[in-house]
Amino acid sequence: MTIQTHTPADVPAKNKQNAAVADAPIRDKGKDGRGATTVADGVVAKIAGIAIQEIPGVHALGGGAARAIGNLREKVGQKDLTQGVNVEVGQTQVAVDVTLVVEYPHPLQEVADNARDAVYTAIEDLVGMEVTEVNVTITDIHVPSEDSEADDADREPRVS
């Protein structure tokens, strides 16, 4: 096993060409100059999606068509954590657009603000990039009674 005791900046140059490179400022090479880190857009979107799903009042991510496709994917065991999340990743900054469905009777603005805060915190803490904006679009409200219609067939009648 090899243990590196010096960073590349500490190692003396072996010839004149390396000396010029060693004296040049290191840019975008990480904190210690040992290499750059690139985070894919999909990773940032997945982190945002996971953060939003934990917010009380968020029923689902994505619009109608995205949710329909998401339901099909879930039935075959592949949940899409990036559904309803679009990101633009730059060198040091991220912009996020989120589409979600809110559960009734949660206050819409409160859910949107909590989702926005969760995305800011998750991306800045886990990815280490600055979030410039998080745009939240609420496309629907989920009313719990809509789902209970399927359960009504299994229930015993209240009156005879």
Side-chain angles (χ1 to χ4, degrees):
M1 174 170 26
T2 305
I3 299 175
Q4 182 179 0
T5 57
H6 300 287
T7 62
D10 295 335
V11 178
K14 294 188 179 176
N15 58 36
K16 290 182 181 180
Q17 288 178 333
N18 286 342
V21 172
D23 292 337
I26 298 171
R27 294 187 183 132
D28 297 320
K29 295 292 185 181
K31 292 181 180 179
D32 56 6
R34 295 183 295 159
T37 302
T38 304
V39 179
D41 294 6
V43 173
V44 177
K46 190 176 278 191
I47 288 170
I50 291 169
I52 291 169
Q53 289 178 351
E54 297 174 359
I55 302 301
V58 173
H59 175 72
L61 293 170
R67 288 195 333 262
I69 293 170
N71 286 337
L72 291 174
R73 289 180 67 132
E74 283 184 34
K75 290 184 184 199
V76 296
Q78 295 179 343
K79 186 170 183 176
D80 185 8
L81 297 172
T82 63
Q83 174 182 304
V85 179
N86 293 316
V87 297
E88 262 184 66
V89 180
Q91 292 287 332
T92 60
Q93 296 179 328
V94 177
V96 182
D97 295 321
V98 178
T99 304
L100 52 90
V101 177
V102 175
E103 293 177 357
Y104 181 83
H106 289 273
L108 302 181
Q109 192 60 48
E110 182 179 313
V111 173
D113 288 343
N114 291 341
R116 186 174 290 110
D117 291 343
V119 170
Y120 269 93
T121 301
I123 292 175
E124 289 178 350
D125 290 351
L126 297 176
V127 181
M129 298 179 86
E130 176 189 0
V131 179
T132 58
E133 65 182 8
V134 176
N135 299 311
V136 178
T137 303
I138 299 172
T139 59
D140 200 1
I141 294 178
H142 177 261
V143 180
S145 63
E146 291 175 356
D147 287 340
S148 66
E149 291 175 10
D151 296 336
D152 286 343
D154 298 333
R155 271 191 216 154
E156 293 182 25
R158 294 174 52 190
V159 293
S160 54

